[in-house]
């Protein structure tokens, strides 16, 4: 297909008149359906309506803080420890007496009765990877893939894909590509591409697999995409585009048209809510020192984090089951040529996190979604108990910060405790297996999963073998 520069105006229009283009339109590998068409999936859904699946009416958003956030400057300041250990940004009181956060989290400190933190979470090693989302504990598959293998590629009674991954380009085409050198967020392990995350935005499955007669640049332009969908809708209503389609094909078209034009259109939100979520004004690129090679990543994170969480909420409201959100590689704070020291770094990434997550919590509370959506926030590790000579913290696998909101879990809790130097758990240690068990307990009736026919034994054992985090369930 010729690129946008060499494409005529006529070729820019979606051509769905002939049978070949109709078949291409309905073939949506990018909707996590593998070799099935979306029409096939609706037919299978209709056949399977009488089959009971062990699903709870809940969704999970997993916000991955790539790079490894510090436990001290986030939720465990240790201000009574020596200067080289305690939070470099100081502390701020919260709504819970005796509990303080790093001072960057001004908004979250006023909401901490609405969410819970874990001060005894450990990831096991200090490697840069994506192990909480894709790793040994998730059978080398995206955690959402495990859920999709049970729930199906489309959630029952929903037009949305079960498993979604959101990167910056899902909301801003001007941002850089997803960071892939530390792991593949779209990995499916032994379960196959049918259960891979649906990835909207440049480079994702939507562009690669929908097979529409549409140049890349136009598909990336949200306004052009929505205009095209409106045109399809008019054609359908006029009866001149989809003559001869059966019921399931009509459902497939309606699902795709409705899902894209509605869920991904953030302009449907109240402008005041959009402004509340918008993290871009907190860190214009010209305010980021060029001394750090990570400058582009800092800018992309600030430009997109809030809108990604808003988009994730919209997807979950419309039926998505598991949404991975990650921006860029920004939580690494060595104070070297790549990464800022703790104080500057928390200004660069902590303040956007504070605004985005607090906006999400307030939004869900107002919409009555507290028990419907579980938000998980963590990285692949924490940071060293001692600040290095340049004002940064290095890799540390012994302890890491963890925040959980909603999902019907107990909120306003501080789970576990860390040692005096903040380097290891001293009470109620929480592993990634415990985190996985908590997520799956939220999404699935695990008792029913144990007796469910057709699941690989490795998957059934992984889903049901762990213990949820004590004090939350």
């Amino acid at each position: 297909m010729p690129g946008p520069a060499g494409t005529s105006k006529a070729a820019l229009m979606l051509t769905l008149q002939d049978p070949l283009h109709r078949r291409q339109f309905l073939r949506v590998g990018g909707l996590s359906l593998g070799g099935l068409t979306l029409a096939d999936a609706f037919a299978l859904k209709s056949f399977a309506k009488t089959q009971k699946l062990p699903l709870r009416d809940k969704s999970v958003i997993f916000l991955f803080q790539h790079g490894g956030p510090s436990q001290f400057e986030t939720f465990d300041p240790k201000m009574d420890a020596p200067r080289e250990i305690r939070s470099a940004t100081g502390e701020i009181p919260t709504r819970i007496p005796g509990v303080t956060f790093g001072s960057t989290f001004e908004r979250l400190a006023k909401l901490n009765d609405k969410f819970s933190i874990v001060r005894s979470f450990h990831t096991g090693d200090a490697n840069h990877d994506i192990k909480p989302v894709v790793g040994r504990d998730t059978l080398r598959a995206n955690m959402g893939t495990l859920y999709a293998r049970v729930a199906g590629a489309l959630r029952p009674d929903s037009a949305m894909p079960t498993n979604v991954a959101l990167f910056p380009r899902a909301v801003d085409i001007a941002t850089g590509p997803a960071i892939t050198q530390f792991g593949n967020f779209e990995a499916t392990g032994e379960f196959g591409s049918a259960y891979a995350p649906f990835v909207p935005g440049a480079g994702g499955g939507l562009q690669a697999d929908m097979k529409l007669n549409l140049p890349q640049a136009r598909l990336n332009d949200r306004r052009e995409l929505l205009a095209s969908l409106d045109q399809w809708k008019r054609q359908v209503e006029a009866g001149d585009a989809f003559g001869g389609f059966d019921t399931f094909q009509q459902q497939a078209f309606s699902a795709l048209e409705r899902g894209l034009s509605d869920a991904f259109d953030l302009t449907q939100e109240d402008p005041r809510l959009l402004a509340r979520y918008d993290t871009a004004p907190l860190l214009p690129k010209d305010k980021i020192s060029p001394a750090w090679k990570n400058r582009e990543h800092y800018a992309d994170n600030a430009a997109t984090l809030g809108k990604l969480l808003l988009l994730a909420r919209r997807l979950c409201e419309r039926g998505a089951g598991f949404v991975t959100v990650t921006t860029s590689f920004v939580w690494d704070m060595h104070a070297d040529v790549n990464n800022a020291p703790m104080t500057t770094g928390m200004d660069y990434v902590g303040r956007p996190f504070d605004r985005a997550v607090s906006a999400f919590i307030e939004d869900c509370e107002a919409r009555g979604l507290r028990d419907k959506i579980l938000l998980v926030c963590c990285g692949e590790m924490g940071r060293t108990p001692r600040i290095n000579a340049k004002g940064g913290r290095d890799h540390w696998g012994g302890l890491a910060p963890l925040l959980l909101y909603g999902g019907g879990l107990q909120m306003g809790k501080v789970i576990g405790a860390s040692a005096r130097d903040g380097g290891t758990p001293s009470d109620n240690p929480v592993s990634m297996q415990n985190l996985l068990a908590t997520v799956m307990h939220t999404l699935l009736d695990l008792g029913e999963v144990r007796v469910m026919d057709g699941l690989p034994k490795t998957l059934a054992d992984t889903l049901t073998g762990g213990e949820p985090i004590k004090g939350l369930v």
Side-chain angles (χ1 to χ4, degrees):
M1 183 186 299
T7 305
S8 69
K9 182 175 181 180
L12 289 174
M13 304 303 294
L14 283 163
T15 55
L16 300 173
Q17 304 296 330
D18 60 80
L20 174 62
H21 287 138
R22 291 201 297 267
R23 287 196 299 272
Q24 288 175 331
F25 170 71
L26 290 171
R27 188 157 296 281
V28 285
L31 282 175
S32 305
L33 300 177
L36 293 176
T37 67
L38 190 54
D40 294 335
F42 272 101
L44 290 173
K45 259 179 70 175
S46 178
F47 175 77
K49 274 187 176 180
T50 59
Q51 306 300 310
K52 177 176 173 57
L53 290 174
L55 310 182
R56 303 188 191 278
D57 185 22
K58 299 180 190 291
S59 302
V60 169
I61 298 171
F62 199 117
L63 174 54
F64 184 61
Q65 296 169 266
H66 207 170
S70 165
Q71 59 272 34
F72 301 93
E73 282 74 27
T74 55
F75 305 118
D76 197 4
K78 296 291 185 192
M79 294 308 293
D80 57 348
R83 182 176 181 180
E84 64 271 19
I85 294 175
R86 65 183 182 237
S87 168
T89 60
E91 66 180 346
I92 188 171
T94 71
R95 291 180 64 91
I96 300 177
V99 176
T100 63
F101 291 168
S103 64
T104 307
F105 289 169
E106 296 175 353
R107 294 174 183 262
L108 287 172
K110 298 175 182 178
L111 292 171
N112 75 319
D113 57 330
K114 305 296 184 186
F115 60 90
S116 291
I117 59 170
V118 179
R119 285 180 168 174
S120 55
F121 177 58
H122 57 98
T123 62
D125 63 53
N127 297 331
H128 273 317
D129 50 31
I130 59 173
K131 54 184 168 284
V133 181
V134 179
R136 179 186 60 195
D137 297 300
T138 67
L139 303 177
R140 306 295 176 187
N142 184 292
M143 193 183 292
T145 292
L146 306 186
Y147 175 60
R149 179 60 181 82
V150 176
L154 287 176
R155 289 189 79 180
D157 304 317
S158 168
M160 297 301 298
T162 297
N163 186 17
V164 181
L166 299 179
F167 305 112
R169 286 187 175 180
V171 294
D172 187 347
I173 187 58
T175 56
I179 303 298
T180 59
Q181 69 189 89
F182 299 109
N184 178 15
F185 287 96
E186 301 174 56
T188 59
E190 65 187 73
F191 304 107
S193 61
Y195 304 102
F198 167 50
V199 182
L206 178 64
Q207 284 76 14
D209 299 325
M210 279 179 68
K211 309 299 184 187
L212 297 177
N213 184 17
L214 186 68
Q216 179 80 36
R218 184 176 170 114
L219 191 56
N220 289 336
D221 187 319
R222 192 61 44 88
R223 292 170 301 177
E224 295 285 3
L225 174 59
L226 295 173
S228 297
L229 290 168
D230 286 341
Q231 180 182 353
W232 298 343
K233 186 176 181 180
R234 288 195 297 271
Q235 289 178 321
V236 172
E237 290 171 348
D240 63 356
F242 293 93
F245 270 29
D246 63 27
T247 299
F248 296 123
Q249 289 172 319
Q250 291 283 7
Q251 288 178 347
F253 170 77
S254 298
L256 187 58
E257 184 268 340
R258 183 174 65 251
L260 286 173
S261 65
D262 182 42
F264 290 95
D265 185 6
L266 299 185
T267 64
Q268 292 190 19
E269 297 288 345
D270 187 314
R272 292 169 295 181
L273 183 66
L274 273 171
R276 173 69 179 89
Y277 269 100
D278 191 4
T279 49
L282 296 177
L283 191 66
K285 188 176 178 181
D286 60 5
K287 300 298 184 182
I288 305 172
S289 171
W292 320 116
K293 292 184 179 180
N294 219 8
R295 186 185 189 211
E296 297 290 338
H297 296 161
Y298 291 140
D300 287 352
N301 174 73
T304 62
L305 179 58
K307 290 180 181 178
L308 286 171
L309 277 182
L310 175 56
L311 177 56
R313 187 268 287 163
R314 290 178 62 83
L315 294 175
C316 289
E317 278 186 309
R318 288 156 179 78
F322 191 98
V323 183
T324 304
V325 176
T326 190
T327 57
S328 200
F329 189 76
V330 293
W331 287 92
D332 205 19
M333 297 186 190
H334 292 288
D336 56 16
V337 295
N338 296 310
N339 309 286
M342 297 310 306
T343 51
T344 303
M346 287 302 291
D347 277 340
Y348 285 174
V349 303
R351 295 194 185 282
F353 179 89
D354 180 57
R355 172 173 287 191
V357 175
S358 61
F360 177 87
I361 291 171
E362 290 174 337
D363 189 18
C364 288
E365 291 286 311
R367 291 173 180 272
L369 296 174
R370 176 194 304 173
D371 294 335
K372 295 287 189 179
I373 300 176
L374 171 64
L375 173 68
V376 178
C377 304
C378 72
E380 70 269 35
M381 59 182 165
R383 312 306 295 186
T384 51
R386 290 184 179 271
I387 297 174
N388 65 34
K390 295 182 178 180
R393 294 187 191 268
D394 301 313
H395 298 183
W396 189 256
L399 204 73
L402 172 62
L403 178 154
L404 301 103
Y405 162 76
L409 303 180
Q410 296 187 47
M411 296 292 100
K413 299 285 188 177
V414 177
I415 303 298
S418 61
R420 292 184 63 187
D421 69 351
T424 56
S426 64
D427 174 65
N428 191 12
V430 172
S431 68
M432 288 198 296
Q433 293 95 329
N434 299 132
L435 177 57
L436 174 63
T438 303
V439 169
M440 293 306 164
H441 171 86
T442 299
L443 291 171
L444 299 167
D445 181 333
L446 297 180
E448 293 294 328
V449 170
R450 290 186 180 95
V451 297
M452 185 177 176
D453 292 333
L455 289 184
K457 185 177 186 305
T458 53
L459 176 59
D461 290 347
T462 296
L463 294 178
T464 63
E467 292 291 332
I469 299 171
K470 295 177 183 177
L472 288 185
V473 176

